């Protein structure tokens, strides 16, 4: 069953970032290997022809268009409501989409979300017709506020951006999934290995968004393929209903009918 995001059916549950790949060809091949239908693009990094070297920006934009993936512009690196909102408007004009991955960063060290600025920026953008994908924490109150201002998707982090730590607070992520039972939830940031992506999907999360784990891998194409497989496996495991942990041992063979030795 496809994932529905703002009324659109998405078959792939792996979203891929486009920054820091060794080469454009490597990025293009990684998108295909991951079978990603959505890719994020930072307007601050790639101004698509508005930068001094216009050929670089235009070539990058052509690559993204030829990939066939839906573009999710990103306000990466924005530290204020004003900056994030302005970047979102520029992205909508240049990239021709009202989808926006909204980041409002509190500090450059941890790259954690500024939750107050995030909610305010989300309110402004939702009121003007944007489809907002907010990068947030696992704070339930913040999630509720984001829903109240119009967000239909939430993107909590697993760990700080680019850290590769995986699910740093598994209990918080489980509680978040239970609380927002019917809301599409996408893990954004902190995933470093395919096994971590599978674990998040087994908890019932709807999709995974990652960048560094693929772009900085020794073999980005092979890693993209591995993540694609892990996300599918984790989703299947969740739907199948994994057994709960049990303290002690439980025999897999029935005790009835065992041979009686006298």
């Amino acid at each position: 069953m496809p994932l529905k995001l703002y009324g659109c059916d998405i078959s792939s549950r792996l979203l891929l970032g486009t920054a820091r790949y060794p080469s454009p060809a490597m990025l293009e091949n990684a998108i295909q290997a991951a079978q990603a239908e959505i890719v994020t693009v930072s307007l601050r990094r790639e101004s698509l022809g508005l930068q001094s070297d216009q050929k670089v920006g235009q070539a990058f934009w052509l690559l993204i268009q030829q990939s066939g993936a839906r573009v999710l512009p990103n306000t990466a690196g924005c530290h204020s409501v004003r900056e994030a909102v302005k970047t979102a408007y520029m992205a909508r004009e240049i990239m021709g989409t009202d989808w926006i991955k909204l980041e409002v960063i509190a500090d450059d060290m941890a790259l954690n979300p500024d939750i107050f600025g995030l909610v305010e920026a989300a309110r402004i953008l939702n009121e003007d017709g944007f489809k907002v994908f907010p990068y947030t924490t696992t704070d339930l109150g913040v999630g509720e506020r984001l829903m109240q201002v119009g967000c239909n998707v939430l993107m909590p982090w697993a760990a700080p951006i680019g850290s590769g730590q995986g699910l740093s607070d598994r209990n918080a992520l489980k509680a978040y999934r239970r609380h927002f039972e019917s809301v599409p939830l996408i893990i954004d940031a902190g995933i470093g290995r395919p096994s971590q992506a599978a674990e998040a999907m087994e908890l019932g999360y709807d999709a995974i968004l990652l960048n560094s784990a693929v772009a900085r891998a020794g073999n980005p194409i092979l890693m993209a393929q591995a993540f694609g497989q892990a996300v599918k496996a984790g989703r299947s495991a969740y739907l199948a209903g994994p057994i709960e942990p049990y303290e002690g041992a439980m025999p897999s063979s029935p005790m009835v009918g065992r041979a009686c030795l006298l």
Side-chain angles (χ1 to χ4, degrees):
M1 186 174 182
L3 171 62
K4 190 173 288 291
L5 300 174
Y6 287 108
C8 295
D9 289 337
I10 306 297
S11 298
S12 174
R13 293 173 181 267
L14 177 61
L15 290 68
L16 206 60
T18 57
R20 297 188 177 183
Y21 283 81
S23 69
M26 195 74 76
L27 167 60
E28 183 177 17
N29 290 330
I31 293 173
Q32 298 303 319
Q35 298 182 340
E37 291 182 44
I38 299 175
V39 296
T40 63
V41 176
S42 171
L43 191 69
R44 294 171 62 89
R45 183 178 61 84
E46 296 289 354
S47 54
L48 312 180
L50 299 181
Q51 58 199 45
S52 56
D53 187 353
Q54 292 189 3
K55 291 184 179 180
V56 175
Q58 291 169 352
F60 174 83
W61 185 230
L62 181 61
L63 184 156
I64 296 300
Q65 290 176 310
Q66 291 176 339
S67 74
R70 176 184 287 269
V71 175
L72 177 59
N74 185 5
T75 65
C78 292
H79 287 76
S80 68
V81 172
R82 182 174 179 273
E83 185 181 14
V85 169
K86 182 178 180 181
T87 301
Y89 277 105
M90 291 174 61
R92 184 164 68 176
E93 180 179 349
I94 294 171
M95 301 185 198
T97 178
D98 56 8
W99 282 24
I100 192 73
K101 180 192 171 190
L102 180 61
E103 292 186 22
V104 183
I105 300 301
D107 65 87
D108 286 326
M109 182 64 70
L111 298 177
N112 53 302
D114 172 357
I115 56 177
F116 303 104
L118 178 67
V119 171
E120 176 61 14
R123 181 190 65 78
I124 294 170
L125 294 174
N126 277 310
E127 288 179 353
D128 198 27
F130 281 87
K131 308 297 188 298
V132 178
F133 293 70
Y135 162 61
T136 184
T137 66
T138 52
D139 186 296
L140 299 179
V142 175
E144 287 286 359
R145 291 293 303 278
L146 288 167
M147 297 290 293
Q148 290 168 11
V149 299
C151 296
N152 293 334
V153 176
L154 297 175
M155 301 179 66
W157 65 355
I161 293 175
S163 68
Q165 294 176 15
L167 280 57
S168 60
D169 193 337
R170 196 172 188 274
N171 289 331
L173 288 168
K174 288 176 67 176
Y176 205 85
R177 176 70 280 181
R178 285 195 303 269
H179 187 81
F180 297 104
E181 183 178 6
S182 61
V183 179
L185 300 182
I186 302 172
I187 291 289
D188 180 16
I191 298 295
R193 296 175 182 272
S195 57
Q196 297 166 355
E199 183 181 6
M201 295 299 291
E202 288 173 4
L203 294 180
Y205 279 80
D206 296 288
I208 306 291
L209 194 162
L210 51 84
N211 189 157
S212 298
V214 171
R216 290 164 46 191
N219 186 329
I221 299 171
L222 188 58
M223 187 61 77
Q225 183 180 41
F227 268 108
Q229 294 168 343
V231 167
K232 290 179 181 178
R235 178 65 179 175
S236 295
Y238 169 71
L239 294 175
I243 63 172
E244 293 297 322
Y246 177 77
E247 291 187 8
M250 184 177 295
S252 56
S253 301
M255 300 298 289
V256 177
R258 291 175 52 192
C260 183
L261 303 178
L262 299 178

